[in-house]
Amino acid sequence: MAANSPEAVPEFLPPPPGEMLGHPRALWMLFGAEFWERFCYYGMRAMLAAHVANQFFAHLGDGAKSAASLTYGGFTSMVYMTAILGGFIADRILGYQRSILLGGAIMATGMFMLMAPDLTTFLMGLAVIIVGNGLFKPNISTMVGKLYAPNDARRDSGFTIFYMGINAGAFFAPLICAGVIGAKYGYGWGFVAAAIGMVFGLAVFQSLRSWLGHVGANHPGREGWTPVFQVLAGAAVLTVPVFFLLSKSDVLGGVLALMLVGLAVYFVLSGVRSGEKVQLHRYIAMLILFVGNMVFWALFEQAGSSLNFLAEAHVNMPEGEWLPGFLKHFSVFQSVNAVFIVAIAPVIAALWPWLEKRSINPSIPRKFAIGLVMVGAGFAVLVFAIKSFVADGAKISWVWLTLTYLVHTVAELCISPIGLSMVTKLARPKETGLAMGGWFLSIAVANYAAGKIAAIATGGEKAVEGVAPKVLSMGEKLSQYQDVFLQLTFAGLIVGALYFALAPQVNKLMHGVK
């Protein structure tokens, strides 16, 4: 096979020389670009469900939150669903650098469209964001892995540092976009602030692009503007079915299921075609971990929907003048996870090598198991609070919801950065982008399920189908949240225990990958 073919398996070539704090300096450039892209995404996400409920579904009464939860779940699922296509385009057509720049520009365009007062234009804006994110999100994560040699012990720590960039952006975004601008001037202007964040991210990436050197550069023979215009035309066409699926939840579920099955078949066949039993086993292990990832995010992603609505209507914020007003807005809880990530991630990043030196570092499957158990335990905190401290019509103290986010944050750090690193280790070099897209597809399926769960927790499916729901008292609404959160508690604990039991077998399939 020709060496200049996109199909060729490249040897590792280090990025241009230069380090910062023990890591390639290009990591810090990607950190900065991802900071602003996540500022854009999480700033918008903090307002999305509440804006959709109030602006477009208010006529449904109590069913507005349920309808908005399905729209939210559809959007967040497709944001990750298109990642598999974006990974393929980067692998075979544009290269990673141009995919990121084009995807970011498309995302910014969609963000500005969210100012629209009508539902059709608003949904089209979401569709544009979805398509752009597919080109951006998986490819910047893949490039982090390409900065390190396959056996470089810094790789997991590098992904954890990168993950801090994600969450630093996620911390500031809800406070600025929703708590200050959105609350004072309207959520439409909050969306504009998020769009400006994306523009800043593009500026960081372009201005420091030389730090990447050959990493993610154009494929030989694919230079020039023609491939860019071809991908842009394809992106414009893709927005049409994405727009359709945003309002067709059941159809979207079927599409996601087909894509997931197709992905599994592809990687199994790729492992067989490789002629290497080890590679086949590694792909099987990767798919098993994808399943655990789906369960985790279906629970964790209640943050932007059911937990956000819980905060809006059923959580007492701190009283007194010791906090500024924007920190008492319910959207502030969308920053809590990011605060904990930034505070805890350095500890976790240092913990894994420390444990490794003492030969007690948990394997990747066991880290997944710990994360699953802890995400279930986080919901147990809320079940306990509702059952023990809340009378009919009363509200939960903000302390309990904050504690839930703390437990969920530790769980996230056991799965998300570890999973990103795992994909770059288990996939064949020429399929790393596609495998990363598969990782995000598993999150897409999880977000779809999360939207369905949130619709039940916030009002039930009948409200969405046009059947007027029973008007519930505050106590009955909280009881409904409690019932759903109890089921999520059991789901996390049971699946986590299963992964603990399966860990030795999955480790064998990984053939030495740690």
Side-chain angles (χ1 to χ4, degrees), residues 308-357:
N308 210 21
F309 284 129
L310 180 77
E312 183 182 28
H314 303 286
V315 173
N316 267 329
M317 300 301 288
E319 296 182 1
E321 301 300 325
W322 60 283
L323 281 179
F326 70 89
L327 288 180
K328 297 179 183 179
H329 192 262
F330 72 91
S331 63
V332 72
F333 285 103
Q334 298 302 298
S335 292
V336 170
N337 168 249
V339 172
F340 289 139
I341 287 278
V342 173
I344 299 171
V347 178
I348 299 294
L351 177 64
W352 302 137
W354 186 85
L355 293 174
E356 183 68 28
K357 289 179 181 178

Side-chain angles (χ1 to χ4, degrees), residues 108-324:
T109 301
M111 284 289 174
F112 283 114
M113 293 174 67
L114 299 187
M115 284 195 73
D118 63 289
L119 182 59
T120 299
T121 307
F122 185 88
L123 292 178
M124 183 56 72
L126 291 181
V128 172
I129 294 168
I130 287 166
V131 173
N133 191 79
L135 285 167
F136 190 104
K137 182 62 178 171
N139 296 319
I140 196 166
S141 299
T142 300
M143 287 180 69
V144 173
K146 291 182 178 294
L147 299 178
Y148 301 92
N151 297 319
D152 193 328
R154 300 175 300 169
R155 182 184 291 245
D156 281 1
S157 293
F159 270 101
T160 303
I161 291 169
F162 177 72
Y163 210 66
M164 288 176 63
I166 293 174
N167 286 280
F171 164 66
F172 289 106
L175 301 179
I176 296 172
C177 298
V180 177
I181 297 173
K184 187 172 183 179
Y185 301 105
Y187 289 142
W189 289 107
F191 294 134
V192 170
I196 293 171
M198 186 69 255
V199 174
F200 284 161
L202 291 173
V204 169
F205 190 91
Q206 180 61 31
S207 63
L208 301 178
R209 195 173 172 185
S210 62
W211 289 11
L212 291 166
H214 67 89
V215 178
N218 303 344
H219 293 303
R222 304 264 191 188
E223 299 90 348
W225 286 97
T226 299
V228 176
F229 288 130
Q230 290 172 339
V231 172
L232 185 60
V237 172
L238 184 60
T239 57
V240 176
V242 169
F243 171 81
F244 170 78
L245 290 173
L246 277 170
S247 57
K248 301 292 182 181
S249 179
D250 291 339
V251 176
L252 174 59
V255 170
L256 285 167
L258 286 174
M259 290 183 67
L260 191 63
V261 171
L263 177 81
V265 171
Y266 173 86
F267 280 119
V268 170
L269 291 178
S270 178
V272 171
R273 286 196 303 267
S274 72
E276 301 173 9
K277 189 176 182 180
V278 168
Q279 187 58 60
L280 174 61
H281 287 177
R282 285 177 174 171
Y283 274 146
I284 292 171
M286 186 176 76
L287 293 172
I288 292 171
L289 293 172
F290 279 5
V291 174
N293 192 51
M294 284 187 282
V295 176
F296 174 81
W297 288 105
L299 275 60
F300 183 90
E301 277 296 336
Q302 296 305 304
S305 49
S306 66
L307 291 182
N308 210 21
F309 284 129
L310 180 77
E312 183 182 28
H314 303 286
V315 173
N316 267 329
M317 300 301 288
E319 296 182 1
E321 301 300 325
W322 60 283
L323 281 179

